[in-house]
Amino acid sequence: ASASTSARVTLAVEASKRGVSGSGSTPGSRTAIQSARLPPAPFPTAGEVYLPAGDGALQLSPMGLGTWSWGNQFVWGYEDSMDSELQRVFNMAVDAGVNVFDTADSYGTGNGLDGRSEVLLGKFLRECPSERVADVQIATKFAAYPWRVTPNSVVVAARESAARLDRPSIELGQLHWSTGNYQPLQERALWGGIADAYDAGVIGAVGLSNYGPKQLRRIHAYMTSRGVPIATLQVQYHLLSRFPEFDGTREACDELGIRMIAYSPLALGLLTGKYGVENPPPGLRGFAYKDVLPALPGLLSVMRAVGEERGGKSPAQVAINWCLSKDTTPIPGAKNTRQLEDNLGALGWRLSEGEVRALDDAAVAAGKSTSQNIFQTK
């Protein structure tokens, strides 16, 4: 690991001990929904705290929950019969102090355009018996569909998501991807639209997804001119996808005061230890990662050894904690309470610098990486 990475691990550990965030914030305007939000109750797991983002508009739990699988048939095999178990997952996560639930208007059944994940979250929010539900902060993403070519189309999308979520406003609204690689004119409309949604109070904070450092700096300059802080950037980040460390994304986030969210921290299940060449993931995942599977045993062996030294932590818990130790907010998915319970075991401790270094070295030795999102920009 580089000296800067080693220093970041140390800072992340110390920040967790002190109860402060490792990233700064960019001054900007506040909306009514931001100023009205009360601080969440203390995080129930010892040693963990909520971290501020977006000029104080957000207080993020150290780990969130991604809900791509909640409604997605094509990759995750969703069926309506799963809804009761998903509701139990939601309630358990809220009780455990998780307050970040990441979704998108494109997460849905069949053709993916019905926002099923948002609808389920709206129902679960209404029916959740926990007092902690008041602290939940929904993070949804607005797809750069080809028909969203005006700023107002993004504002409309935000209002439609809020309606599906049954909320007057959304705590964190995110551009799902940049069109800078293929439709730069649409890109400026998307920027203007999400800033307009922020100014109108439809969203309480602005986030991004799949932006690289060059495009991140461009949109940051635009948002600064509008007085709109960028709170978060989510990128694919895990032991088999470390490009944010090497392409300048990490440095740009630190410099600009943007909290980095790590999506797919378990590499769509590859880092759980459940899969291998003889037992590939089902469906599309098995096909997409067939070239990565032969490289897994060595990395998983180190992950298991680290987990054993940590009192029997699972590979999934080690993988998520690696993201935490890199000063990011991981958002692993969970389709059942067993998976969620495993994920929650990543909280309340941190890998040492030596353990992080050993895992980094094992990832390099594996010699394979998962492919980046096709919409990821430079």
Side-chain angles (χ1 to χ4, degrees):
S2 67
S4 62
T5 299
S6 177
R8 185 183 323 289
V9 172
T10 301
L11 288 172
V13 172
E14 292 304 313
S16 177
K17 291 177 182 177
R18 295 194 307 270
V20 299
S21 171
S23 61
S25 61
T26 304
S29 61
R30 305 291 186 95
T31 65
I33 60 172
Q34 292 170 338
S35 60
R37 175 165 289 278
L38 297 174
F43 198 85
T45 300
E48 300 288 1
V49 295
Y50 291 95
L51 301 173
D55 198 26
L58 303 171
Q59 295 289 328
L60 307 178
S61 51
M63 181 186 76
L65 183 62
T67 64
W68 178 23
S69 63
W70 296 15
N72 181 281
Q73 292 177 333
F74 185 58
V75 177
W76 298 105
Y78 166 79
E79 297 178 359
D80 291 350
S81 60
M82 299 176 178
D83 289 356
S84 58
E85 178 67 5
L86 295 178
Q87 188 162 18
R88 285 189 285 271
V89 170
F90 179 85
N91 291 341
M92 179 186 290
V94 171
D95 274 334
V98 174
N99 75 342
V100 180
F101 292 82
D102 182 76
T103 184
D105 60 6
S106 61
Y107 291 174
T109 60
N111 62 16
L113 303 182
D114 66 353
R116 180 64 176 171
S117 175
E118 291 179 332
V119 171
L120 287 173
L121 281 170
K123 177 179 186 292
F124 299 164
L125 284 162
R126 288 192 305 273
E127 299 176 1
C128 182
S130 174
E131 292 182 358
R132 284 187 173 270
V133 73
D135 298 330
V136 167
Q137 298 176 72
I138 297 295
T140 197
K141 299 182 290 294
F142 313 123
Y145 291 134
W147 55 84
R148 288 181 180 162
V149 294
T150 66
N152 187 60
S153 64
V154 180
V155 178
V156 170
R159 294 191 188 280
E160 290 174 345
S161 286
R164 284 189 291 269
L165 290 160
D166 196 21
R167 290 169 90 73
S169 58
I170 302 166
E171 287 77 13
L172 178 61
Q174 307 159 99
L175 294 178
H176 203 156
W177 66 84
S178 166
T179 64
N181 287 341
Y182 62 94
Q183 188 54 271
L185 292 179
Q186 183 184 10
E187 178 84 338
R188 294 307 292 250
L190 297 172
W191 294 0
I194 200 163
D196 289 347
Y198 173 87
D199 286 341
V202 185
I203 62 175
V206 170
L208 307 170
S209 181
N210 299 309
Y211 273 67
K214 292 182 180 179
Q215 200 69 354
L216 178 60
R217 293 182 188 279
R218 292 187 184 108
I219 188 173
H220 182 269
Y222 171 82
M223 292 296 173
T224 298
S225 73
R226 296 267 315 247
V228 178
I230 298 174
T232 60
L233 169 68
Q234 60 171 274
V235 289
Q236 181 182 196
Y237 186 56
H238 50 72
L239 276 163
L240 291 170
S241 177
R242 295 176 61 200
F243 73 89
E245 295 181 26
F246 307 125
D247 71 353
T249 298
R250 174 82 254 187
E251 288 73 13
C253 284
D254 288 350
E255 177 187 331
L256 302 176
I258 297 171
R259 182 71 185 166
M260 200 163 89
I261 295 175
Y263 75 73
S264 298
L266 299 178
L268 302 190
L270 295 186
L271 297 176
T272 63
K274 295 190 298 185
Y275 302 117
V277 174
E278 302 301 322
N279 179 37
L284 180 64
R285 288 181 292 156
F287 175 78
Y289 292 144
K290 63 181 185 299
D291 294 334
V292 181
L293 293 172
L296 281 180
L299 175 58
L300 288 171
S301 176
V302 175
M303 294 172 69
R304 290 191 176 99
V306 169
E308 289 174 6
E309 288 295 318
R310 285 288 177 164
K313 295 296 183 182
S314 70
Q317 291 165 349
V318 171
I320 294 170
N321 198 276
W322 179 86
C323 292
L324 291 167
S325 298
K326 296 279 188 169
D327 193 20
T328 69
T329 301
I331 49 171
K335 294 191 293 182
N336 54 60
T337 54
R338 178 184 54 78
Q339 290 177 349
L340 176 63
E341 186 174 9
D342 193 29
N343 293 349
L344 292 171
L347 299 175
W349 58 286
R350 290 294 183 273
L351 296 163
S352 69
E353 285 191 65
E355 289 167 331
V356 170
R357 191 178 304 113
L359 291 166
D360 288 350
D361 291 345
V364 172
K368 287 286 186 180
S369 297
T370 58
S371 58
Q372 294 184 28
N373 190 300
I374 60 172
F375 293 115
Q376 177 67 40
T377 63
K378 298 295 186 182

